[in-house]
Each structure stands twice: as structure tokens, then as C-alpha cells.
Amino acid sequence: MGRPRATSGATGQDDGPDRDPGWVARMRGRLIDWYERGHRELPWRAERDPYRILVSETMLVQTTVAAVVPYYERFLARFPTVADLAAADEATVLKAWEGLGYYRRARQLHAAARAIVEGHGGVVPGDVEALRALPGVGRYIAGAVVSFAFDRPAPIVEANTQRVLARWLAWGADLKTTASQARLWRAAERLVPPERPGVFNQAFMELGAVVCTPKNPSCLVCPVAADCLARARGLQDTLPVVADRAAPLEVAEACALVVREGRILVVQRGPVGLWGGFWEFPTIHLSGADPAGRSFGDAVDLAEGVRRLTGVEARVGPAVKTVRFGVTKHRVTLSAHGAEGIGGDPTPGPGLARVAWEGPEALADRPFGKAGRQLLAWLRAGGLGRADGRG
């Protein structure tokens, strides 16, 4: 007997249960009933403030709920209104976001707040098109804000709901393709009800998060299993189809922990680029891809790199600490070397906005990337005494 087949993913194909009004009505009703019988209590779910929903949905992009909750609460304690966020400087915003990753989201949220203050009188707009005109607000975030804050029907397709839709429709094409995304958005548009769209969309995402999970979906307790085509065809464990990710690109970098008179040399990157506005220790690119633009275009040793970046002459010792981390599609190995400052005046070099000698305690309020935070923690734990290149 042949294996059950999924729906073809041919471009433009639109045959599916979502064209049946009876199927749509059953899905809506059962999903809302299930959600109202019990769901996770999350801090943004009780909100109707569109600014707070904009913050939560921006944070939740590519990040788990568990990771977001404490950041959401701290961020709103620091910036309780859209005007507060708009008035803040970027460094303060990045520091409040520090550790959550994908820092472009923080910059875009900050820019969106300023656009709301300048273009909308400080009031978050309530229609999808006006929201999508804001920096960093795509179709999903706009739909979430409109449905959750204003209870207006707007479809949502994100990591959880696209998986749910692919199973409901038995959609067998790669989810990353343009045709697949268009098909799933059409289904979401048909499914979102004119009444209580916010509750439906919350239920939709909740189902994907706790029942229709990426692996081993809990079909036996799913409120809509009877109308799921993947379940009917035995495809729930093989759908959705997502093309394998490419292997990460290996990168090697080196930084200098330059010490002089109890202070350490730090630099702030300029406003553009992957780590724009962040502080770090003077860092050069050694090999592989160059995600942060740290190459000088010619091969230099770390001491020469420190001089070009900061104007400071340093006696560089061996590596004293190695940090490995991922960023975008890269896997970076950063070797930190102890060093001693022996001359020169701090002067920002290529790609830098500031250079400074600072005591470790003064760095607590500066935004650092993941590697920088790990090195700071190591220094505060006693590494500083060993990071001067003299053993």
C-alpha cells in the first residue's frame, strides 16, 4: 500500500478545506472553545494596549516565550509608553534588549516608536497598512496588533500557525517558498473570523505552541483533529516540509584585552552594521566570512589591529580565553588575548565611534554582544589580573 500523499504545492493551487464554509466554521468554533477552557497565562495576553502588544510581538520573533517574558517585563518597566521609548537614546534601548538577540529588532522597534510619536501623535495606529508602514513591522506583527489590541479581523502566519496550517491543509511543499507562504496566508485570511478575531488568533498560535508541535504533535488531545487532513492521511509526523538549513559559516576572530593602570581598552562601533552602537574589546577578523566587517583588507596581527582601531600601542600576549557563539548564519570562534597598553592616545579607527579606557565597573551600563558579555563576566571573576599579557 502506498504512502498517504500530501496536497501538491503547485504555484497557484487553492483547493483545500479552507474553501468550505462548514469546515472553516468548525475550526473557528472548536479552537476558540478549546482556548477558553484553558490556556497559558502570558503577561501580554491580558493587554489591549497596542504599544505593549507591539513590544511583545517584536520580541517574540524568532525567540521563545520563556526567553521573552522577563525581557518584556523589564523593557516595559524601563519604557512604559511609546513616548518613553521614542525619547530614549539607542544605547539605552540596546542595553535594555541586551541578551535577547537579533538586535535589529530593538533598533526597528525604537525607530517605530519615534515614527508613531512623529507621525501619529504618539498613538499606535489601528489599521494594518499604517502599521506596516512603521519600521520593522511586517504583515504578521501588524495583524497581531490589529487583532489583539483592536479586535479587528486580520490574518496571522508565523512559526506556529504556518505549521498548523500546513497540517490542516496537508500542504506538502517547502514552507519557505513564496508559493507556500502565499497559500498559507490565503488560508489564514479565510479562517480569521469577523467576531472575536483576537481570541481566535491567540488560540491559533496556542495550538501550535502546545499541541501541534514541531515533533510528536499531540493529535489525541487536539480539538480539531477530526478536520485535519494531515491526521486523516497519516502525515502529521512528516509535515510540514522545510528545506534543510545550510551549515553555518565558520569564522575566526581575535580580540585584545588591553590593560593599563587598572583600566581596560574598549571601543564602540559606529551606528551601522551588525553590531552598530555596541561596545566591545578591539577585535579583528582572522579567517572565514566577515559578518561584522572587521577585516582591514590585508593581513595584520592583533597588535597592529589594535593600533589601527584605537591609536593605542599594545604588547599582546597569548590567548587567555576562547569564546564560541553563533550570529546570523555564522559560527564564530573568538580568541581573547591578554595585552598591555604601552603608548598612544585613544583615537577611533575604521568603523568605530568611540575608544575609551574604562574600569570594569563602568562597563555594566554599556551594551555588549554575547561574546563581550562572556568576556566581561570572566574578567569580573578574576580574569583581569591574568589578561595583561604577562601570565
Side-chain angles (χ1 to χ4, degrees):
M1 184 174 181
R3 177 183 172 186
R5 297 180 62 189
T7 302
S8 168
T11 301
Q13 183 169 329
D14 200 27
D15 57 335
D18 53 311
R19 295 181 65 87
D20 175 5
W23 183 89
V24 169
R26 290 194 301 274
M27 289 304 208
R28 289 171 175 174
R30 291 171 183 171
L31 203 54
I32 290 175
D33 288 346
W34 167 79
Y35 181 78
E36 292 188 326
R37 287 196 300 270
H39 55 264
R40 294 173 299 169
E41 296 296 332
L42 302 175
W44 46 83
R45 281 195 167 152
E47 287 290 347
R48 296 296 296 270
D49 181 340
Y51 165 64
R52 290 174 172 251
I53 293 170
L54 177 61
V55 170
S56 68
E57 295 303 327
T58 303
M59 287 184 167
L60 285 163
V61 174
Q62 295 182 292
T63 308
T64 65
V65 166
V68 165
V69 170
Y71 281 92
Y72 171 80
E73 293 172 338
R74 288 196 299 266
F75 194 88
L76 288 176
R78 180 65 183 81
F79 311 110
T81 70
V82 68
D84 293 320
L85 179 57
D89 62 78
E90 185 177 273
T92 303
V93 175
L94 290 175
K95 184 64 181 177
W97 199 277
E98 186 183 68
L100 194 55
Y102 299 98
Y103 293 98
R104 184 182 179 190
R105 296 177 301 171
R107 296 188 178 94
Q108 290 175 330
L109 181 60
H110 189 208
R114 290 183 167 177
I116 291 166
V117 168
E118 294 168 4
H120 298 275
V123 178
V124 178
D127 67 273
V128 168
E129 292 308 314
L131 283 163
R132 291 189 67 181
L134 298 174
V137 178
R139 190 176 182 183
Y140 160 66
I141 291 180
V145 172
V146 165
S147 61
F148 300 157
F150 300 98
D151 209 27
R152 296 172 184 165
I156 58 171
V157 174
E158 43 76 67
N160 285 317
T161 57
Q162 70 176 359
R163 179 174 61 256
V164 171
L165 285 168
R167 287 173 175 158
W168 285 359
L169 304 178
W171 184 254
D174 179 7
L175 288 192
K176 294 181 180 180
T177 66
T178 301
S180 288
Q181 288 297 307
R183 178 66 182 94
L184 299 184
W185 276 103
R186 286 197 299 274
E189 287 173 343
R190 291 166 180 159
L191 280 158
V192 64
E195 302 293 332
R196 307 183 72 195
V199 175
F200 173 82
N201 280 341
Q202 290 282 15
F204 202 6
M205 290 192 294
E206 182 82 346
L207 188 79
V210 303
V211 174
C212 198
T213 49
K215 295 181 179 179
N216 302 315
S218 302
C219 299
L220 292 178
V221 297
C222 177
V224 294
D227 280 300
C228 173
L229 286 188
R231 173 68 170 169
R233 299 175 184 179
L235 297 171
Q236 66 272 18
D237 293 320
T238 59
L239 293 178
V241 174
V242 181
D244 292 337
R245 291 184 179 182
L249 302 174
E250 296 292 340
V251 181
E253 297 179 341
C255 73
L257 306 174
V258 187
V259 178
R260 188 176 73 182
E261 298 177 355
R263 294 180 179 272
I264 193 161
L265 188 66
V266 291
V267 301
Q268 184 185 32
R269 294 184 66 84
V272 298
L274 182 62
W275 299 112
F278 277 75
W279 289 81
E280 62 187 20
F281 303 102
T283 303
I284 65 170
H285 175 260
L286 297 178
S287 65
D290 184 16
R294 292 187 171 110
S295 175
F296 290 105
D298 58 335
V300 300
D301 63 17
L302 186 53
E304 174 62 12
V306 171
R307 187 191 67 78
R308 293 191 192 185
L309 286 169
T310 70
V312 171
E313 301 285 344
R315 183 182 297 117
V316 177
V320 293
K321 179 73 173 174
T322 300
V323 176
R324 294 180 177 86
F325 62 99
V327 56
T328 61
K329 58 183 179 181
H330 306 87
R331 183 164 54 200
V332 183
T333 299
L334 174 66
S335 299
H337 294 248
E340 180 184 9
I342 57 177
D345 295 322
T347 305
L352 300 181
R354 294 175 62 189
V355 178
W357 292 102
E358 297 285 3
E361 68 286 346
L363 300 179
D365 295 330
R366 309 280 178 87
F368 278 79
K370 183 176 182 179
R373 292 196 307 278
Q374 290 186 39
L375 290 172
L376 281 174
W378 177 77
L379 290 169
R380 293 188 184 113
L384 185 61
R386 302 189 300 275
D388 58 4
R390 298 175 292 186

